[in-house]
Amino acid sequence: MPTSFIPTAADLLRLSPDIVLTAGGALMMVIEPLTSAARKARMAVIAALLIAAAMALSVMAYSDPGTSFSGMLVVDGFSTFFRILVYGCGLLTVLMSVDYFKRERGSESGEYYVLIVFSLVGQSLMASANELVLIFIGLEVSSIAGYIMAGYLRDDKRNNESALKYFLLGSFATAFMLYGVAWVYGLTGSTNLDTVRRAILGGAMEQSGQMLFVATALMFVGFAFKISAAPFHVWAPDVYQGAPAPVAGFLAAGAKAAAFAMLVRVAASAFFPLTGRWEMLMWATALATMIVGNFAALRQSNIKRMLAYSSVAHAGYILVAVTAQSEVGIAAVMFYLASYALMTIGVFAVVTLVASKGERFVEIEDFAGLVQRQPMLAIALTIFLFSLIGIPLTGGFFAKFYVFKAALDSNLTWLTILGLLNSAVAAFYYLRVLVVMYMKPAAEGAGPVDPAGIGIKAAIVASAVGTLYLGVYPSAVLDFAGKAAQLVK
Amino acid sequence: MDALLFLTFAGIAVLCAINLILQTHPISSALSLVGVMGALAVLYLLLGGAFIAAVQLIVYAGAVMVLFLFVIMLLNAQAERTTSKPAIRAWVSVPLLFTFVILLASLIIQRAPAGAAVRFGEFTGGSVANVGRALFTTYLLPFEITSILILIAILGAIVLARKEI
């Protein structure tokens, strides 16, 4: 047990992004009531600056990688990648939320941005925690902020339903995970991922192998819920459909990326010795998730619900790479999540705009004639949908390519074939949106889309540029992911 | 003696928990929850977790449950209305639940290493000093992060419950 409880300078540097976000978030809570209603837009600016500062600090922290706080927190390439990814998602969400709340409420509301900032602290901790207790607390910070954000417009019935379902099912899934953590502690005497791994290698497996599998299975229930893998995905459509569109984008991109980061780290470090046993479970989950997501998405008429099922399907593709259990697989997961975050936030930003006040236009049919009504928006949506399908020159193409390459390298031939067939099915429902948008004339009464504010414009442009960048020059991000993947042990 | 105490209070905890679910009136459910928490506190005490037992009683059985009851009474909640659920749910879920519990229990009984069994009175690290030291050294970070959780809870209460937004 360490004798001193004063953190060293290195400890503080490694935690600095979270410290800045926490302190800034608390400060925002103080400033918020002091700001007049007309100036509430400042809160979004403060949040964006805080997130940008956290991004810069996480790059600085990477100059001195290592573990801190008794092995609780680890700063390595993997955690830095995911920190920047979730901060990026947070930044884009802040940008696209400004206009949304002005439109829905008539005024800004500062608490929303504080919730985003705090939720990012949780997600960044999930990505950089090396200890099951810290992972759990990070997860709760992120999730509870998410529950509140999903129900933020509390006078809207859809918001209420979304928040309540998310909260009840989410707490239930977390309980499973926590029970699994308790089993792991009971069997190995530790919650530190490295120590757990050593204990498993050092005989805990022979002694109580089956109990260890039960423990991992219980934890997997919690993980599978958070990444919305089948059969634990049932919450996703209702929550994404009911939540405010920017929040749905944030949950699909940031929260999912952080959940995958935690799943990959736990699987690749603590439970690495159990790889052989995990594989079957992962294989089946990945396949089920792809099939359920894609085939359910085919039948949706509401675009948010369709995107929710598509998000389930994408979780399935990412699980294919997790199943590969290799460094190439981990790098593919990282690349996929980065490009998925950009395209999904982009799509939700477009949906936010088209939906208009009160989110009236969220059926796929409401996109009819979008190319005449708002040509630039239609082009942006085309880029995002192409990327979701996986068409070359977009990030989605290389993401899928690397995932299936990793699977083939690990001899998962059947999973690859079934995955490819699935992505062909997926093309159908994305193309349907494109067909409606380009071929169908606008319905009577569908006026021009409201002009976009500067924030949401910036979010859409940034996502589109990012998506194209990853599709044309994937190597920079991929090289970093490849290097970072070696360190996850 | 220890085993007897354990079985008694474990039994009370389980019975109260079942009662909590079966009761239709929220007040009865809340009082059953107090029973669960009290019985759990005794179990912690038996295991040597004196501080945790005290916290369990003061915070959970005391403070949290009082708030629970206040809220239920303020809202004047009536007995739940039972909606007609499809019977198949009960027919599938209850046997599944029992299978799950029995599976876990049998696994623990058969497979748990003999050395890992709990012996009452063996653990002595549950004092306030020990818990405090652990919280402020090894577990400093999670302990501090928990404060963010509380901040979020405050924020959530403001956002979801204040009169006008």
Side-chain angles (χ1 to χ4, degrees):
Chain A
M1 191 175 279
T3 46
S4 166
F5 55 86
I6 311 286
T8 62
D11 286 348
L12 290 177
L13 178 65
R14 284 171 198 148
L15 191 64
S16 59
D18 302 320
I19 295 176
V20 165
L21 287 177
T22 310
L27 198 66
M28 282 170 76
M29 286 174 75
V30 179
I31 298 175
E32 207 274 340
L34 302 176
T35 326
S36 62
R39 292 180 177 167
K40 289 271 156 93
R42 279 187 192 174
M43 300 298 286
V45 177
I46 300 177
L49 288 177
L50 278 175
I51 297 170
M55 254 186 196
L57 282 171
S58 50
V59 175
M60 271 171 66
Y62 184 50
S63 63
D64 178 25
T67 60
S68 276
F69 294 98
S70 332
M72 292 267 166
L73 190 81
V74 57
V75 170
D76 53 15
F78 185 77
S79 67
T80 308
F81 182 91
F82 276 102
R83 266 182 168 171
I84 292 174
L85 178 56
V86 296
Y87 296 152
C89 294
L91 196 59
L92 292 174
T93 312
V94 168
L95 286 178
M96 72 185 199
S97 303
V98 179
D99 292 321
Y100 182 82
F101 285 103
K102 213 174 270 170
R103 184 181 82 200
E104 300 295 327
R105 280 271 186 74
S107 74
E108 292 287 325
S109 47
E111 286 93 357
Y112 174 80
Y113 301 106
V114 185
L115 283 171
I116 290 192
V117 166
F118 281 145
S119 156
L120 287 179
V121 175
Q123 290 172 8
S124 128
L125 283 170
M126 282 156 80
S128 48
N130 198 32
E131 219 267 351
L132 292 170
V133 174
L134 191 59
I135 288 181
F136 166 69
I137 294 179
L139 177 66
E140 279 303 271
V141 169
S142 153
S143 308
I144 292 179
Y147 305 148
I148 302 168
M149 281 161 70
Y152 198 79
L153 302 174
R154 51 164 203 178
D155 299 325
D156 189 324
K157 275 193 182 137
R158 293 170 296 179
N159 272 234
N160 290 341
E161 182 195 344
S162 162
L164 194 66
K165 279 189 177 160
Y166 193 24
F167 170 63
L168 290 177
L169 292 174
S171 318
F172 196 57
T174 314
F176 270 98
M177 189 186 135
L178 203 55
Y179 192 40
V181 172
W183 275 57
V184 170
Y185 181 73
L187 293 168
T188 61
S190 176
T191 49
N192 185 296
L193 296 183
D194 298 329
T195 321
V196 168
R197 176 197 172 94
R198 275 197 298 277
I200 294 176
L201 287 173
M205 177 103 108
E206 289 76 39
Q207 228 176 7
S208 46
Q210 279 167 329
M211 292 177 77
L212 217 47
F213 299 136
V214 173
T216 54
L218 285 169
M219 285 180 64
F220 188 71
V221 172
F223 290 147
F225 177 89
K226 294 295 170 192
I227 61 175
S228 69
F232 306 102
H233 69 284
V234 283
W235 60 277
D238 289 345
V239 171
Y240 289 10
Q241 186 184 0
V247 175
F250 182 62
L251 295 178
K256 188 169 276 193
F260 263 109
M262 122 187 130
L263 167 67
V264 166
R265 193 185 285 282
V266 170
S269 61
F271 297 140
F272 185 71
L274 306 177
T275 300
R277 296 295 191 103
W278 273 85
E279 195 182 293
M280 225 18 240
L281 180 70
M282 292 278 204
W283 198 97
T285 317
L287 183 61
T289 309
M290 286 189 294
I291 291 178
V292 168
N294 281 320
F295 282 88
L298 280 179
R299 298 172 45 220
Q300 303 308 322
S301 62
N302 180 305
I303 188 144
K304 279 165 91 185
R305 208 172 170 79
M306 187 272 271
L307 287 171
Y309 277 114
S310 119
S311 144
V312 172
H314 283 279
Y317 302 132
I318 303 171
L319 273 176
V320 171
V322 179
T323 314
Q325 305 269 18
S326 61
E327 281 165 17
V328 188
I330 294 174
V333 171
M334 294 163 76
F335 187 85
Y336 202 111
L337 282 166
S339 62
Y340 177 68
L342 286 170
M343 55 204 183
T344 200
I345 286 190
V347 172
F348 273 106
V350 175
V351 170
T352 307
L353 267 181
V354 176
S356 296
K357 189 166 168 55
E359 297 205 9
R360 281 169 299 159
F361 303 117
V362 283
E363 296 296 310
I364 292 176
E365 293 300 319
D366 293 330
F367 282 73
L370 189 68
V371 71
Q372 278 100 38
R373 291 192 285 155
Q374 214 17 303
M376 293 313 285
L377 208 55
I379 291 171
L381 186 57
T382 312
I383 294 173
F384 300 132
L385 289 174
F386 274 180
S387 185
L388 284 165
I389 299 172
I391 286 175
L393 293 183
T394 58
F397 168 72
F398 280 110
K400 280 215 177 65
F401 175 76
Y402 291 123
V403 159
F404 291 128
K405 183 172 170 289
L408 278 181
D409 285 353
S410 299
N411 294 321
L412 298 168
T413 320
W414 274 109
L415 195 57
T416 311
I417 294 171
L418 293 167
L420 284 171
L421 287 175
N422 255 292
S423 48
V425 173
F428 180 76
Y429 56 83
Y430 295 125
L431 285 174
R432 205 176 61 181
V433 180
L434 287 173
V435 167
V436 168
M437 193 164 80
Y438 281 100
M439 313 276 192
K440 271 199 172 179
E444 299 267 327
V449 177
D450 298 340
I454 182 96
I456 198 158
K457 235 181 225 168
I460 293 176
V461 169
S463 315
V465 169
T467 304
L468 291 175
Y469 173 78
L470 288 180
V472 181
Y473 301 107
S475 50
V477 175
L478 198 76
D479 286 348
F480 183 80
K483 261 185 277 170
Q486 293 167 6
L487 296 169
V488 189
K489 277 291 141 68
Chain B
M1 182 62 189
D2 284 329
L4 195 67
L5 278 174
F6 171 78
L7 286 175
T8 315
F9 284 97
I12 291 175
V14 172
L15 286 179
C16 284
I18 294 173
N19 192 42
L20 187 160
I21 300 169
L22 294 180
Q23 289 296 333
T24 53
H25 201 285
I27 295 266
S28 320
S29 291
L31 289 175
S32 310
L33 191 55
V34 176
V36 176
M37 302 215 174
L40 279 182
V42 178
L43 294 188
Y44 294 150
L45 206 55
L46 280 174
L47 291 169
F51 176 66
I52 300 293
V55 167
Q56 171 85 7
L57 275 183
I58 296 167
V59 176
Y60 282 94
V64 173
M65 287 317 298
V66 169
L67 285 179
F68 249 80
L69 288 172
F70 270 163
V71 171
I72 294 172
M73 287 156 124
L74 277 176
L75 293 178
N76 201 12
Q78 303 297 320
E80 283 175 40
R81 275 164 300 169
T82 44
T83 45
S84 54
K85 286 173 236 160
I88 184 142
R89 265 193 226 169
W91 284 106
V92 175
S93 60
V94 173
L96 266 180
L97 182 73
F98 274 99
T99 322
F100 178 67
V101 171
I102 290 167
L103 198 79
L104 289 188
S106 67
L107 202 61
I108 294 175
I109 292 166
Q110 288 175 6
R111 296 283 167 171
V118 170
R119 276 176 292 278
F120 292 110
E122 198 180 56
F123 178 70
T124 51
S127 69
V128 181
N130 290 327
V131 174
R133 197 167 290 129
L135 278 186
F136 282 100
T137 54
T138 322
Y139 293 96
L140 178 68
L141 187 57
F143 178 67
E144 295 292 345
I145 301 295
T146 327
S147 56
I148 304 179
L149 265 183
I150 298 168
L151 266 182
I152 294 180
I154 296 171
L155 209 57
I158 293 173
V159 167
L160 299 176
R162 76 175 160 193
K163 271 212 175 111
E164 66 202 81
I165 312 179

